[in-house]
Amino acid sequence: MPSFRQQLAEGSRSLPLGLFALCLLLVSGSLALLYGFTSPADFQTLRHALYAQNDVPGFVLHVEASRYRVFIAGLASCFLLGAVATYYEVRRRPGAYTMRAFWWDARRLLGSLLKPWRALSGLERGLSGALLLSILVVRLYYALAYPLGTDEVATYDYFVRGSALASTSFYPFPNNHVLFSLSCWLVSCFSDNAALVLRLPAFLISLVGTVLLFLLLLRFAGFRAAFLVVGLVSFSPMALYYAVAGRGYFLLLTLSVVQFFATLRLLAAPKEQGFLWFGFVLTGVLGMYTVPTYAYVLAALTVVAVPGFARRQQTRPLLTLALALVVIVGGALLVYSPIIAISGLRSLVANAYIAPQTLSAFLESYTSYLQAQIHELFGQQRLVEWAVFLVPVGAVVLLPMLPPERRRVCGAALVMLLLPLVLMPLQRVQVPARALLYLLPYFFLVAATCLDYLFTRFRLPKGWAALLSMVLVGAYGVYKIIRAHQVVVAMQQREQQLQRAYQWVRRRQPRHVYYRAPFHQLYFHHYAQSAHYPLYAFSNSTLYPKPFDLLVLERPVRSARLLLHGVAYCPVYADGWVTMYAPVVQLRPEAQPSRQ
């Protein structure tokens, strides 16, 4: 029986270690160049420049001289290790996976993706083109018409605006989806338009991701399933929003889908294993670097892959999978090392959005939590609640009747869909719906696979099946577009009211403003930053002991006159959201509150 070391060496033979070494060399080298010429004092200066006018008191940088030297030494060690490993793989290792083999495998897999597209009929190509064009037009309208959301504004002001250093090392709250922030920073090198900087990467990523999703589904599930899944996912309200909103959740969805189908292909033991394992590891690291909750995707894919590899009665693929997961964890630690060294490990792992609850509190609210997430993901409630329950149950019943390849795809999609519902109770956490956006393709894939089977089972003509698919997607899309337009109009009205309030504030030329209105605090700060106006925001009155120029308080405010630090404030502005107060000494005797 071979020793464990021999088995490990055999398991690593399927992995493109040379490419991993090259990635280690490039990533550690880039981080060393970025941080090697920066001192700990530079980070304090950058923190002050970013947060001085809207401070985050709880965000304390943990960068110390000794700790920072260890961090730089670690990057240098990784760079040297990557250089030595790359040299060894290229020059000495017999049977190493070469770049020529990499490009050959890439061409072969691309050909296998495009082959089903070439085999489509003229009608099917026309329907596909019309669907993708309509999705593109709707997203373009949404990107241009929908005002920047709160999370987008925070991403731009607190990370992207602060250069690559802030994007890769500052983590005051779990709003920094680092990989997406970096893509926005690249655009910011050419433009200071916040909407363009945030929306262009999201729009391009969703465009590429949608085409990839369609081609992969076409290859593994057929035309009808591809048409239904892409149409229903793209017109779902949350997917439509995050396809253009600068947050990175559609990037998470795209990486999840690519890694899912790479796993299914690996289970078939293809010739292109080196390329597929590289894609598996790369998407895993990038997914973790986008949003840490990508760990749910990795857990589900492990559950899918282990039984599939175990059926071969060989230890090699299982060892290869274990090594690939180790590389993913190592890669994620490397790219997150600046945050760990500068912001601290606790800032990365202490996510208030997914903090564990007591068992009783979790169980008491779990049902209402699931209902709320269904409503956010699908934009419906009662009707979709039944569908979300019936689709997995129906899939389990129909699974043994499906053709073998469709059975594998549908079964794996069921695991991806249901495993988070098992893990969340075990962790006693309630993950926000936006972090579960990646589940949409798997839900619709399960539903479309079952529907496609029923079409075949009852011998529905292909033309009628295509027509029914088109009607279903078209009706759903038109309904959601109408609802989306209503949301866009409401958000535009909200933005106009915000800007009117801010323009009123600017005419008074305040410098120090106290807020008990977080929404206005975020947007007023953003408007002031965009205009290079020194407006200092405080949500803790003890941080500024002098009289404030203005108080901005959410309505309703019960008192007509306020006393703060011994200074009396009277109302000077009111609208549907806030009431603003100014010190009495600044008021003329005839002054009356302005109502907008």
Side-chain angles (χ1 to χ4, degrees), residues 156-477:
Y156 182 79
D157 285 347
Y158 296 140
F159 309 115
V160 176
R161 193 172 58 86
S163 79
L165 280 175
S167 296
T168 55
S169 65
F170 284 4
Y171 210 85
F173 36 78
N175 215 65
N176 188 9
H177 300 163
V178 187
L179 182 59
F180 188 79
S181 296
L182 274 177
S183 69
C184 294
W185 169 75
L186 288 175
V187 181
S188 73
C189 296
F190 306 97
S191 173
D192 60 356
N193 184 307
L196 179 66
V197 167
L198 293 164
R199 295 282 170 90
L200 182 61
F203 183 82
L204 294 177
I205 287 167
S206 66
L207 176 62
V208 173
T210 303
V211 173
L212 267 177
L213 175 62
F214 183 81
L215 291 176
L216 287 166
L217 287 167
L218 194 61
R219 163 67 179 80
F220 285 90
F223 170 76
R224 286 195 292 264
F227 187 88
L228 285 168
V229 173
V230 169
L232 296 174
V233 167
S234 298
F235 291 121
S236 295
M238 185 168 281
L240 178 58
Y241 174 70
Y242 283 114
V244 299
R247 297 293 293 124
Y249 288 111
F250 208 96
L251 175 59
L252 183 78
L253 182 153
T254 300
L255 293 169
S256 161
V257 167
V258 172
Q259 194 175 26
F260 173 77
F261 285 110
T263 304
L264 292 183
R265 183 68 178 155
L266 281 166
L267 290 174
K271 296 179 180 179
E272 311 90 353
Q273 287 201 42
F275 181 88
L276 289 168
W277 279 117
F278 178 75
F280 180 89
V281 170
L282 181 65
T283 50
V285 174
L286 293 179
M288 292 295 294
Y289 202 37
T290 303
V291 184
T293 50
Y294 194 83
Y296 280 143
V297 177
L298 294 176
L301 289 176
T302 302
V303 172
V304 169
V306 168
F309 287 139
R311 289 193 197 99
R312 300 185 195 174
Q313 298 181 344
Q314 297 175 344
T315 57
R316 176 175 170 175
L318 290 171
L319 284 172
T320 304
L321 174 65
L323 288 171
L325 293 173
V326 169
V327 174
I328 289 173
V329 172
L333 288 174
L334 174 62
V335 293
Y336 275 119
S337 61
I339 288 177
I340 296 171
I342 293 160
S343 297
L345 179 62
R346 180 171 177 77
S347 68
L348 182 62
V349 299
N351 188 337
Y353 293 111
I354 52 173
Q357 305 176 14
T358 63
L359 182 60
S360 59
F362 176 85
L363 293 176
E364 185 178 342
S365 61
Y366 192 47
T367 301
S368 59
Y369 157 78
L370 290 177
Q371 291 173 336
Q373 306 320 297
I374 290 169
H375 177 67
E376 284 195 57
L377 286 169
F378 297 95
Q380 296 286 343
Q381 197 148 4
R382 296 189 181 279
L383 179 63
V384 176
E385 282 177 17
W386 282 103
V388 169
F389 172 74
L390 291 175
V391 165
V393 171
V396 170
V397 173
L398 293 177
L399 204 59
M401 309 175 198
L402 297 176
E405 186 173 356
R406 302 293 169 83
R407 189 188 312 141
R408 284 192 293 270
V409 174
C410 187
L414 272 173
V415 173
M416 297 293 293
L417 182 64
L418 298 178
L419 189 67
L421 302 180
V422 176
L423 294 178
M424 283 191 284
L426 293 177
Q427 297 174 286
R428 303 194 310 278
V429 300
Q430 295 179 352
V431 180
R434 56 187 179 274
L436 299 175
L437 177 67
Y438 77 91
L439 295 178
L440 279 180
Y442 305 109
F443 173 81
F444 286 122
L445 175 57
V446 170
T449 303
C450 295
L451 189 62
D452 190 43
Y453 169 77
L454 294 176
F455 285 163
T456 306
R457 176 72 176 79
F458 293 104
R459 298 178 181 178
L460 193 69
K462 289 184 66 175
W464 280 103
L467 180 62
L468 282 176
S469 301
M470 184 179 66
V471 168
L472 178 60
V473 171
Y476 182 79

